Amino acid sequence: MRITMVGTGYVGLVTGTCFSNTGNDVTCLDVDRDKIEKLNRGQSPIYEPGLDELIRRNHKAGRLTFTTDQRRAYETAEVVCICVGTPSDERGQADLRYVLSAAADIGKAMEAAPGPTGGTIDERRAKIIIVKSTVPVGTNARVREAIAAETGKKFSMASNPEFLKEGAAINDFNKPDRVVIGVAEKGTGDRLRDLYEPFVRQGNPIFVMDIPSAEMVKYASNAMLATKISFINEIANLCEVYGADVDEVRRGMCSDRRIGNQFLYPGLGYGGSCFPKDVLAVISMGEQANRPAKLLASVHEVNQRQRLEFIGKIEEHFNGELKGKRIAVWGIAFKPGTDDIREAPSVTLMEHLVSEGALVSAYDAVAEQRCRALLSDSIEYADSAVEAVKGADALVICTDWDEFKYPDFDLIHEKMAAPVVFDGRNIYRLELMREHGFTYYSVGRSPVREASGRQVPAGG
Ligand SMILES: NC(=O)c1ccc[n+]([C@@H]2O[C@H](COP(=O)([O-])OP(=O)(O)OC[C@H]3O[C@@H](n4cnc5c(N)ncnc54)[C@H](O)[C@@H]3O)[C@@H](O)[C@H]2O)c1
């Protein structure tokens, strides 16, 4: 199929590249010239494991091209996937301006292209406009109207929400747990089934349903995952107060198969470009329909509070006096495997530390550039995890990148001015930290307050 991806970001670039890899002819369109120039030079604008190689291979084979030229992108495409951003607006609603502006562009390009206007729709041939962006129920209908306002040409609409996870995006897209397709006409569903068939060879389902249900599946899924995170964080906070260990609680609880063990890790709360905005969008959908989404309002509140609770631990340790304190931060990305820092807990935390007069030295092997663009020179950037902790009064772990999981603890201890660790991801065992002589704060577990087990050399 000839496919155009509108928006060459985390979703458009990954899904477009994977579609080209199964033999489709894919054009990735973006309004961001720098991004497209970079891609045409063979460089990926985002960090996603395995993506560079796939882009290079398919670009070289001529199946994957990048452009800012709308006419070229839209004219001959059989399928157009809208993958532009849908950030929260100031009221928490999904901001649809990029989606609707892309829809108007598509309509104009269709109108300018040769071909008959009007008549009945031929489901086997009509251009299919897919909304892949995460959008509130009813948005496909608005996109249809926005396109139809610009052209009399016939087209089909489909909702095809994307479930890939940054950091594992290629595998997720190539081997999805499920594919969800919302359509109004059966023929459109059949054509999209064919497009996805190569990705579900192992028998995972393709669900074809009505458009509003498909739109809702995505929000319901993300809202559920966010709920699990806030749930375990709430339990973790209670564990701290009542002297329980959330790791033990988690183990005991998750062995119940009805509960399962996925997505129940306590920490700094969820961040990233999806969960925060999608939870807010569902809350807002509830408000607009006068059906308040009370559970999700709490999920959001618990998540916001989680960062503040953690900051509170740091402040308490320093008796509220952060001015002049040197704080190392390991991990900036909102999760490992990506350079995405949108809504990252690390950013809230670092901004707070800086506002209180602390000196922050951060290290993240892939997210540094994005952080520089956001926080400029308000913090220092280290070239390695060890360099970040030199002379630090405390280390804060914000992202559980593999390289932080088993560092040379003695070296870290030696380099720090004070061996204090605030672990927002619970990556170390309490005993281990005790043995290595750290004061150690984590989430939902008792703090290790003193360097009791360590053999401190005389005079040291
Ligand atoms: N990032 C994820 O992990 C993920 C996963 C599933 C679903 N989603 C959803 O997919 C959508 C896209 O997310 P993303 O993270 O890829 O966004 P992104 O910000 O990385 O990319 C969006 C791109 O669209 C471009 N764009 C905006 N308007 C345009 C237009 N009129 N024409 C062409 N290009 C245009 C922007 O320049 C940008 O490059 C969102 O709705 C998001 O919720 C994201």
Side-chain angles (χ1 to χ4, degrees):
M1 278 184 178
R2 284 190 305 281
I3 305 175
T4 285
M5 313 305 298
V6 190
T8 308
Y10 287 86
V11 167
L13 182 57
V14 171
T15 58
T17 304
C18 293
F19 276 141
S20 73
N21 199 45
T22 52
N24 296 291
D25 181 354
V26 177
T27 302
C28 291
L29 172 75
D30 208 289
V31 287
D32 183 337
R33 282 186 183 281
D34 289 347
K35 208 175 245 192
I36 295 300
E37 277 168 17
K38 219 170 175 187
L39 282 160
N40 278 323
R41 287 197 303 271
Q43 295 165 3
S44 171
I46 58 169
Y47 173 83
E48 182 61 46
L51 183 60
D52 291 39
E53 168 56 19
L54 266 192
I55 293 176
R56 256 195 299 280
R57 190 160 8 112
N58 288 288
H59 188 45
K60 197 167 163 218
R63 290 188 294 264
L64 180 63
T65 52
F66 306 101
T67 187
T68 54
D69 180 348
Q70 293 190 359
R71 198 162 151 231
R72 190 179 129 202
Y74 291 136
E75 198 163 52
T76 59
E78 295 161 271
V79 171
V80 176
C81 291
I82 300 179
C83 307
V84 298
T86 47
S88 295
D89 68 12
E90 63 287 349
R91 289 162 301 170
Q93 293 176 7
D95 183 347
L96 296 177
R97 97 178 80 152
Y98 306 105
V99 171
L100 294 174
S101 134
D105 293 342
I106 294 167
K108 283 179 196 144
M110 282 172 65
E111 188 59 16
T117 300
T120 53
I121 190 156
D122 179 351
E123 291 172 29
R124 287 158 310 157
R125 270 180 247 278
K127 210 187 262 297
I128 304 176
I129 313 300
I130 297 179
V131 178
K132 220 174 202 338
S133 301
T134 304
V135 291
V137 178
T139 302
N140 270 250
R142 291 179 65 187
V143 169
R144 185 191 287 276
E145 279 167 25
I147 298 174
E150 303 292 342
T151 182
K153 305 252 171 70
K154 291 290 162 196
F155 59 94
S156 297
M157 286 299 304
S159 163
N160 171 219
E162 182 48 56
F163 298 97
L164 62 76
K165 300 185 287 294
E166 288 173 19
I170 292 174
N171 191 57
D172 285 349
F173 191 77
N174 284 335
K175 292 184 184 144
D177 290 337
R178 78 314 207 173
V179 174
V180 171
I181 296 170
V183 287
E185 307 99 10
K186 182 180 176 305
T188 310
D190 291 344
R191 285 168 70 196
L192 293 183
R193 220 180 242 288
D194 288 345
L195 176 65
Y196 273 105
E197 208 56 54
F199 301 98
V200 292
R201 290 258 186 263
Q202 285 153 336
N204 286 350
I206 297 179
F207 296 115
V208 179
M209 58 185 76
D210 61 276
I211 290 177
S213 302
E215 291 175 323
M216 189 60 116
V217 170
K218 175 67 190 177
Y219 276 130
S221 304
N222 275 0
M224 178 70 200
L225 294 170
T227 301
K228 290 178 93 173
I229 296 173
S230 280
F231 174 85
I232 197 68
N233 280 333
E234 192 149 84
I235 295 292
N237 296 341
L238 289 173
C239 284
E240 283 181 16
V241 177
Y242 286 97
D245 180 329
V246 74
D247 280 352
E248 301 295 343
V249 173
R250 213 190 91 80
R251 281 198 300 161
M253 176 189 143
C254 292
S255 55
D256 183 330
R257 271 172 294 174
R258 293 170 303 175
I259 297 172
N261 60 9
Q262 302 265 317
F263 255 75
L264 284 166
Y265 291 94
L268 288 168
Y270 55 79
S273 65
C274 292
F275 290 175
K277 80 169 174 61
D278 292 351
V279 169
L280 286 177
V282 181
I283 295 169
S284 169
M285 276 166 58
E287 277 165 6
Q288 284 171 48
N290 207 15
R291 290 276 208 291
K294 291 184 183 170
L295 175 63
L296 292 172
S298 300
V299 166
H300 172 68
E301 195 188 320
V302 168
N303 194 59
Q304 297 299 99
R305 200 182 58 199
Q306 196 65 9
R307 296 174 187 198
L308 302 179
E309 296 256 350
F310 196 74
I311 289 171
K313 285 180 194 172
I314 303 175
E315 284 183 332
E316 201 180 313
H317 174 85
F318 289 108
N319 294 322
E321 201 32 78
L322 282 163
K323 199 166 168 39
K325 293 284 180 300
R326 201 169 175 79
I327 313 283
V329 172
W330 280 2
I332 303 171
F334 85 92
K335 67 172 182 179
T338 182
D339 59 349
D340 200 342
I341 63 166
R342 290 178 281 187
E343 299 291 329
S346 65
V347 173
T348 313
L349 195 131
M350 291 192 293
E351 280 176 337
H352 180 83
L353 293 174
V354 169
S355 75
E356 292 294 312
L359 308 162
V360 174
S361 170
Y363 168 69
D364 189 304
V366 304
E368 180 186 321
Q369 285 313 319
R370 288 195 191 273
C371 193
R372 276 185 191 277
L374 188 72
L375 300 183
S376 59
D377 293 334
S378 61
I379 63 170
E380 289 170 18
Y381 298 91
D383 288 335
S384 70
V386 173
E387 195 194 309
V389 300
K390 275 187 195 158
D393 296 296
L395 162 65
V396 183
I397 300 174
C398 290
T399 319
D400 45 342
W401 284 102
D402 281 345
E403 69 171 304
F404 305 145
K405 289 188 181 156
Y406 205 75
D408 182 338
F409 289 108
D410 289 336
L411 181 66
I412 302 297
H413 190 291
E414 184 191 309
K415 298 280 177 197
M416 292 181 78
V420 181
V421 177
F422 295 90
D423 180 358
R425 299 294 168 187
N426 281 12
I427 55 182
Y428 305 130
R429 281 186 301 112
L430 299 180
E431 295 76 21
L432 193 70
M433 299 311 277
R434 198 170 286 125
E435 277 164 26
H436 285 280
F438 286 94
T439 293
Y440 179 64
Y441 300 90
S442 54
V443 182
R445 305 184 295 179
S446 303
V448 174
R449 286 204 192 273
E450 50 194 55
S452 50
R454 192 164 192 264
Q455 299 300 310
V456 184

